[in-house]
């Protein structure tokens, strides 16, 4: 007998108390929890997102669409970045004012090449206001997962209001499980030493978020 | 079970030794006190916590009552997405599968993300025996591995070590495993984290194979979810060419949508954050992004035995948030090692004796490692009635006859003693004896009518403990 059959057989024997006619959906799950904990006012959501990102030590920069190139250039300059990883599909104008060496991912950059880069600039799939989370799904302008992981500085551009959702349930409903997803809430951190939070372990130690409103 | 925990003394003796270790107690008291207060705050932010908790419990119950169905669905979805599913009936088989998969790549070292399941099966030791080195990459696991130690907390495995001890471990041992710690090294947590970053980066960049666990697996989509803080998980899940995830069969959830519940309850309940820094989700393999090969090893190793027990099976709902450890007065005094398994605290006291059985003195004593104060149940985000299962398992141990009865007496004494407060001790003995009197030694005849009545017993409030708890906890929890 294969281990598969053995384990499935053990499960069926263990569940002999479950009535034969009971189907999985017959076990009730009440979804009377909230779809969101905040009102759907776009302005308020943006403020909340900013507060929560900031609380977890991301640095937030708000600007209008036209000011994105200038803001991105200023942030990269402030971080002292000389090389930046540019994922495929990143809107060209975002980096149009930055005086910086751009590393594209075609052909794919090696992990060491990413490690040698100062920064990475990406877009995102969406951002969650209630938790201060940005989610990357590998879509245009986000690149494969390694690109937004290895450089020590990650600058992420979030386009409000369309990319900002209120809650975790709203995010789950919009995301596709068929894409590799990375949920990011602040820079990497650990509380492993006496439960004291320290920012910056293996992921990018600096996270800048540019919140763009129309 | 891992060889490293074998031969550990039974809970009463191990706990007695631990309570005399004042430094350990100070470390634990400080750490658990901090997290308790923060957690209460994170949960108070959600006014639908009660509903989320009930939904989490219901989703897990749905899964467990139809586990065969969901595992088959998961297997099909993972396979469709380009992954390979393996089934492991026990620890030996799981270790064999992982070792063979690694050997097939021609590699002799792997990077690892913290995983309870691989600790449970003693994977690192099994791989070492085959000439394969497994590098732990979670900061706390690194501390444990470098210190040749054992984990003592689900979330913060090195909670029993303070910063000065960690500094010493890094200075002494990092050089034996790779890049040495910078000199001089202070005990500033930021500096210690930086030392770990430098030590591990080399390993991440050259790693070809990674081993992980998984927090959730989604049956309908084949998605595996890993929740973490440091980014070592992302490194392991993204950079190597081959990824092997070892996950207990109870970690499956039916639908993608179900994640909306657990992604709210788990971070708030474990690290007291609105959201943990990083969560990775992947379904099989993706062309041009991440590992080219993905293997999912589904682990039984006593889980089906646990599932057989209608009262005890609720332990399989556990999402390993560790909130029950942080509120447990016995854990705070005894420390994690006394529980003799990777699963310490209240959840360990009900899970280990079910996964491993109660034939050894240690495992038989675990259901007594509690004063039945009920704080663990109150905080559990999937509403596991830990006191109910504890009393149920005590009954099982007592039914074993001679040995069981002797163990029971010793354990009750010790569980009371570790509370090291005369009034509490007296209350412990009173409660235990009261429970024993009300609780039938044997099932009265075939049928289960009388039994279901007795199942309500643990809910009888153990008043003195609840008083003690209320007086000693720092922040009021929501029910
Ligand atoms: S038993 Fe509940 S509280 Fe304890 S670790 Fe598991 S989910 Fe968390």
């Amino acid at each position: 007998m294969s281990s598969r059959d053995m384990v499935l057989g053990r499960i069926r024997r263990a569940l002999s108390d479950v009535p034969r006619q009971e189907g999985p959906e017959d076990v009730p799950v009440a979804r009377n929890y909230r779809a969101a904990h905040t009102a759907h006012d776009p302005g308020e959501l943006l403020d909340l997102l900013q507060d929560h990102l900031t609380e977890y030590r991301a640095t937030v920069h708000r600007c209008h669409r036209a000011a994105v190139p200038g803001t991105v250039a200023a942030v990269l300059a402030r971080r002292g970045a000389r090389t930046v990883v540019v994922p495929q599909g990143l809107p060209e104008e975002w980096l149009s004012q930055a005086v910086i060496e751009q590393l594209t991912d075609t052909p794919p950059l090696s992990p060491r090449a990413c490690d040698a880069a100062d920064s990475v600039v990406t877009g995102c799939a969406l951002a969650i206001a209630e938790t201060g989370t940005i989610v990357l799904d590998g879509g245009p302008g986000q690149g494969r997962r390694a690109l937004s992981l290895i450089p020590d500085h990650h600058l992420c551009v979030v386009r409000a209001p369309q990319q900002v959702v209120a809650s975790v349930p709203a995010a789950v409903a919009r995301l596709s499980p068929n894409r590799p997803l990375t949920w990011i809430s602040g820079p990497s951190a650990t509380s492993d030493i006496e439960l004291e939070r320290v920012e910056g372990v293996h992921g990018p130690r600096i996270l800048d978020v540019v919140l763009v409103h129309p | 079970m891992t060889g490293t925990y074998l031969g550990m003394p039974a809970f009463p003796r191990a706990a007695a030794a631990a309570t005399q270790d004042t430094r350990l107690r100070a470390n634990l008291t400080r750490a658990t006190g901090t997290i308790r207060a923060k957690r209460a705050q994170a949960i108070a932010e959600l006014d639908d916590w009660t509903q989320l908790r009930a939904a989490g419990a219901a989703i897990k119950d749905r899964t467990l009552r139809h586990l065969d169905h969901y595992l088959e669905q998961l297997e099909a979805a993972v396979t469709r997405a380009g992954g390979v599913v393996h089934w492991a009936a026990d620890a030996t088989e799981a270790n064999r599968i992982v070792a063979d998969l690694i050997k097939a790549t021609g590699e002799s070292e792997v990077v690892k993300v913290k995983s309870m399941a691989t600790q449970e099966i003693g994977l690192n030791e099994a791989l070492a025996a085959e000439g394969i080195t497994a590098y732990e990459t979670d900061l706390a696991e690194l501390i444990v591995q470098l210190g040749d130690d054992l984990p003592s907390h689900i979330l913060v495995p090195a909670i029993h070590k303070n910063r000065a001890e960690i500094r010493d471990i890094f200075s002494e041992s990092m050089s034996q495993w790779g890049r040495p710690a910078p000199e001089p090294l202070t005990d500033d947590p930021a500096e210690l984290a930086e030392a770990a970053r430098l030590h591990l980066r080399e390993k991440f960049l050259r790693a070809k194979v990674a081993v992980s666990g998984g927090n959730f697996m989604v049956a309908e989509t084949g998605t595996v979810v890993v929740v973490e803080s440091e980014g070592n998980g992302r490194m392991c899940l993204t950079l190597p060419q081959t990824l092997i995830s070892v996950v207990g069969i109870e970690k499956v959830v039916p639908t993608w949508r179900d994640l909306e519940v657990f992604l709210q309850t788990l971070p708030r309940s474990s690290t007291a954050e609105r959201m943990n820094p990083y969560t990775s989700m992947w379904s099989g393999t993706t062309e041009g992004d991440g590992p080219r090969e993905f293997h999912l090893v589904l682990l039984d190793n006593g889980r089906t035995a646990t599932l057989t027990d209608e009262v005890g099976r609720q332990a399989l709902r556990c999402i390993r948030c560790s909130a029950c450890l942080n509120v447990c007065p016995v854990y705070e005094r005894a420390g994690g090692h006394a529980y003799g398994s990777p699963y310490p605290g209240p959840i360990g006291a009900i899970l280990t004796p079910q996964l491993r059985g109660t034939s050894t003195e240690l495992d038989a004593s675990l259901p007594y490692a509690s004063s039945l104060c009920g704080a663990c149940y109150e905080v559990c985000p999937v509403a596991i009635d830990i006191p109910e299962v504890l009393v149920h398992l005590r009954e099982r141990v007592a039914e074993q006859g001679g040995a069981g009865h002797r163990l029971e007496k010793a354990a009750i004494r010790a569980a009371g003693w570790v509370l090291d407060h005369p009034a509490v001790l007296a209350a412990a003995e009173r409660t235990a004896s009261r429970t024993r009197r009300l609780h039938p030694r044997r099932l009265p005849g075939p049928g289960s009518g009388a039994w279901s009545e007795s199942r309500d017993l643990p809910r009888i409030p153990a008043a003195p403990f609840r008083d003690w708890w209320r007086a000693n906890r720092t922040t009021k929890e929501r029910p």
Side-chain angles (χ1 to χ4, degrees):
Chain A
M1 200 197 323
S2 72
S3 294
R4 179 184 188 277
D5 293 342
M6 190 195 295
V7 174
L8 287 170
R10 285 177 185 169
I11 293 172
R12 286 173 191 133
R13 278 193 301 280
L15 293 171
S16 57
D17 61 299
V18 176
R20 206 171 273 275
Q21 64 279 9
E22 181 184 299
E25 307 286 320
D26 293 337
V27 185
V29 174
R31 307 225 182 236
N32 54 352
Y33 48 86
R34 290 183 189 281
H37 299 82
T38 30
H40 268 277
D41 174 70
E44 267 174 50
L45 277 190
L46 207 55
D47 289 344
L48 192 65
L49 176 61
Q50 173 163 7
D51 285 352
H52 287 169
L53 282 166
T54 310
E55 204 176 308
Y56 283 148
R57 317 287 159 81
T59 309
V60 177
H61 316 266
R62 276 167 85 150
C63 67
H64 285 284
R65 234 176 88 185
V68 173
T71 307
V72 169
V75 172
L76 289 173
R78 171 131 62 93
R79 300 295 181 195
R82 281 159 312 178
T83 50
V84 62
V85 173
V86 184
Q88 220 169 2
L90 193 84
E92 261 175 51
E93 76 267 15
W94 286 0
L95 284 167
S96 59
Q97 292 182 24
V99 184
I100 194 165
E101 187 191 342
Q102 302 190 12
L103 306 170
T104 56
D105 196 37
T106 40
L109 293 164
S110 69
R112 281 178 204 283
C114 292
D115 193 39
D118 295 319
S119 298
V120 58
V121 175
T122 72
C124 68
L126 54 80
I128 309 169
E130 283 181 12
T131 56
T133 304
I134 53 180
V135 183
L136 271 56
D137 72 354
Q142 299 169 50
R144 58 197 171 91
R145 287 169 287 172
L147 301 188
S148 49
L149 169 63
I150 306 178
D152 206 14
H153 171 223
H154 179 193
L155 190 164
C156 181
V157 180
V158 179
R159 283 173 273 199
Q162 67 271 27
Q163 287 189 324
V164 180
V165 301
S167 65
V168 171
V172 169
R174 250 169 72 166
L175 291 165
S176 165
N178 299 323
R179 316 185 69 108
L181 301 176
T182 306
W183 296 44
I184 298 170
S185 308
S188 82
T190 180
S191 302
D192 279 352
I193 300 168
E194 298 180 10
L195 285 174
E196 187 172 299
R197 190 176 159 105
V198 175
E199 265 83 28
V201 197
H202 305 295
R205 285 183 284 190
I206 302 167
L207 176 64
D208 279 300
V209 179
V210 176
L211 291 182
V212 189
H213 35 94
Chain B
M1 240 21 215
T2 165
T4 40
Y5 285 105
L6 288 181
M8 293 220 20
F11 184 84
R13 283 196 302 283
T19 37
Q20 278 160 12
D21 183 340
T22 48
R23 181 158 64 168
L24 168 71
R25 271 191 65 165
N27 290 356
L28 274 178
T29 303
R30 216 171 83 177
T32 56
T34 312
I35 195 85
R36 276 205 299 269
K38 284 196 201 149
R39 179 186 172 281
Q41 212 180 345
I43 280 156
E45 265 186 29
L46 301 184
D47 58 4
D48 59 343
W49 183 258
T50 310
Q51 288 86 338
L52 285 166
R53 183 179 187 239
I59 291 166
K60 287 285 185 175
D61 280 351
R62 173 183 281 181
T63 312
L64 292 173
R65 287 177 76 84
H66 298 277
L67 190 57
D68 50 338
H69 165 79
Y70 288 119
L71 287 173
E72 285 182 303
Q73 201 189 353
L74 173 77
E75 180 186 42
V78 170
T79 309
R80 240 186 351 257
V84 183
V85 176
H86 309 260
W87 300 71
D90 55 26
T92 312
E93 190 177 11
N95 289 334
R96 178 80 267 135
I97 292 169
V98 177
D100 287 346
L101 287 170
I102 297 168
K103 284 185 180 167
T105 67
E107 293 296 316
S108 60
E109 56 178 48
V110 298
V111 285
K112 267 191 75 198
V113 202
K114 174 163 121 64
S115 138
M116 306 294 303
T118 59
Q119 279 165 26
E120 176 191 320
I121 62 177
L123 179 66
N124 292 6
E125 294 77 7
L127 292 180
E130 311 237 3
I132 299 166
T133 310
Y135 295 110
E136 293 291 353
T137 64
D138 180 76
L139 178 52
E141 292 290 347
L142 178 71
I143 295 166
V144 168
Q145 185 171 53
L146 294 175
D148 198 14
D149 198 353
L150 289 170
S152 69
H153 188 280
I154 292 177
L155 184 73
V156 201
I159 199 168
H160 57 290
K161 295 285 184 207
N162 65 26
R163 58 186 74 190
E165 294 170 283
I166 294 167
R167 193 239 355 255
D168 293 347
I169 291 170
F170 279 12
S171 292
E172 276 159 33
S173 306
M174 268 189 177
S175 56
Q176 292 153 37
W177 288 82
R179 182 174 172 153
E183 285 296 338
L185 186 67
T186 75
D187 63 4
D188 172 20
E191 208 175 299
L192 295 171
E194 167 74 10
R197 176 185 172 96
L198 294 170
H199 179 75
L200 287 171
R201 185 137 292 226
E202 262 314 297
K203 296 189 166 46
F204 288 135
L205 295 180
R206 68 160 192 251
K208 294 281 183 286
V209 185
V211 176
S212 86
N215 294 88
F216 306 99
M217 308 182 283
V218 182
E220 70 172 349
T221 60
T223 311
V224 182
V225 181
V226 166
V227 169
E228 52 135 353
S229 294
E230 297 170 13
N232 60 312
R234 290 175 72 192
M235 291 278 178
C236 292
L237 301 171
T238 310
L239 297 185
Q241 284 160 12
T242 303
L243 170 62
I244 305 164
S245 300
V246 182
V247 190
I249 51 175
E250 82 284 16
K251 296 280 161 203
V252 66
V253 297
T255 67
W256 173 248
R257 187 183 174 188
D258 293 331
L259 293 178
E260 72 188 18
V261 174
F262 301 112
L263 290 178
Q264 293 190 80
T265 51
L266 178 57
R268 288 181 197 260
S269 212
S270 61
T271 48
E273 293 164 305
R274 294 192 186 97
M275 192 60 83
N276 49 290
Y278 298 133
T279 298
S280 297
M281 305 179 183
W282 72 96
S283 309
T285 53
T286 306
E287 183 66 40
D289 187 350
R292 278 176 238 157
E293 255 184 64
F294 170 55
H295 298 273
L296 178 61
V297 182
L298 296 174
L299 177 71
D300 178 353
N301 203 35
R303 283 158 179 77
T304 48
T306 309
L307 193 64
T308 307
D309 189 316
E310 287 177 45
V311 178
R313 72 165 62 126
Q314 58 183 306
L316 297 175
R317 286 186 204 148
C318 176
I319 55 173
R320 314 271 189 265
C321 73
S322 70
C324 58
L325 278 61
N326 299 332
V327 298
C328 179
V330 176
Y331 173 82
E332 188 177 326
R333 281 155 183 76
H337 292 154
Y339 296 80
S341 93
Y343 305 105
I347 181 59
I350 61 168
L351 192 58
T352 308
Q354 297 198 84
L355 291 177
R356 298 200 294 216
T358 49
S359 56
T360 70
E361 204 185 332
L362 168 65
D363 294 340
S365 69
L366 284 174
Y368 299 91
S370 167
S371 63
L372 301 178
C373 79
C376 48
Y377 168 67
E378 280 182 40
V379 296
C380 178
V382 285
I384 300 172
D385 194 337
I386 295 174
E388 176 187 39
V389 181
L390 285 168
V391 172
H392 173 69
L393 293 175
R394 289 179 187 187
E395 183 65 23
R396 249 216 234 163
V397 171
E399 274 171 21
Q400 285 174 197
H405 193 63
R406 180 172 49 75
L407 293 172
E408 181 190 13
K409 284 196 146 158
I412 291 170
R413 257 200 318 274
W417 186 78
V418 294
L419 288 161
D420 89 337
H421 187 293
V424 177
L425 170 60
E429 285 169 347
R430 264 205 316 279
T431 311
S433 60
R434 190 166 60 211
T435 312
R436 288 283 300 137
R437 255 202 329 278
L438 293 169
H439 215 65
R441 278 298 293 272
R442 287 178 189 291
L443 292 181
S448 63
W451 180 235
S452 55
E453 220 174 290
S454 68
R455 278 215 234 148
D456 290 330
L457 277 180
R459 294 206 180 87
I460 293 171
F465 287 98
R466 286 181 186 277
D467 294 348
W468 179 89
W469 172 245
R470 295 227 157 85
N472 284 276
R473 66 180 165 180
T474 48
T475 321
K476 214 171 154 55
E477 296 278 353
R478 276 162 181 270

